[in-house]
Amino acid sequence: MSAALDAQLRWLHAAITGASPPPEPEAAAWLERDGAADASARLHVYRHAYVARLADVLVVDHPKLAAVHPDLRALTADYLRAFPPTHPSVREVGAHLARFLADRGAPAHLIELAALERARVEAFDGGADVTPLDREAVAALAPEDFPALPLRFVPSHRLVALTPRADELWDAIERAAPHPAPAAATRAVLVWRRAVTVVHRTLDDDEATLAPALAAGTTFGDICALLATAPQPAERALALLLRWLDAAVLVSRPAD
């Protein structure tokens, strides 16, 4: 590629994406063709299409946020200037949306709703497909093998900390129900892909304390030990294990 062509392509990219101010007509004279619209008009079409199509991506990936933030499309141009896409896949366009909203001083529930929906996007195609651990496999274990049973969250899982209960807001929008009032208490929400469906659930307080160990890889015996101060720790550990098995959120393998 010649230096002149490389410079023209870089200029064109900057002009379309808004990385540079709209060019003066004479600066793009080399784009003009006989019978075609002038360069400024043609560049405007591409600039508009670039923002409009990526705005569509943000809305598709954040449908609940778009439902309560009607200005999401209008913010797209500013968002793309603040966080220009650096990956060829449009999947990554919204990766920094929660941070962008926080930088602009958006309400907490909008910031965390964006974070939750981003986690759901990542969970959909995050990690290799695996066969979840199930009750049948665990029931086949001898009692003495239970403590050493390796446990780990499925690769697609994501953990999100939500202060104003954005998970409840997500559910309310899904059901077309009244929106819940924000709350101050931080809650841990687990997001994962079950077969081809992304689901999420708020964790109990003791589950939240176990989540880092399960993300890294642990054993059933270690889970019991982490619950040692709880009433009836073995029973609680078994109840949680059954919950996780039924949710298809575990694989049986040690940490890497």
Side-chain angles (χ1 to χ4, degrees), residues 29-115:
W30 56 273
L31 287 175
E32 293 187 27
R33 297 175 182 172
D34 292 341
D38 65 71
S40 295
R42 289 158 56 202
L43 278 173
H44 174 75
V45 170
Y46 283 102
R47 287 168 71 95
H48 173 77
Y50 171 77
V51 174
R53 289 169 182 169
L54 293 185
D56 289 342
V57 172
L58 292 181
V59 170
V60 168
D61 285 350
H62 303 82
K64 305 300 186 292
L65 176 64
V68 294
H69 196 320
D71 294 332
L72 182 59
R73 284 184 179 275
L75 292 176
T76 301
D78 288 345
Y79 171 66
L80 294 175
R81 281 191 290 270
F83 296 96
T86 58
H87 194 280
S89 173
V90 294
R91 172 193 181 275
E92 301 303 323
V93 169
H96 306 290
L97 185 56
R99 178 179 168 188
F100 170 76
L101 293 174
D103 290 345
R104 292 177 69 92
H109 70 281
L110 296 182
I111 298 167
E112 298 194 353
L113 190 57

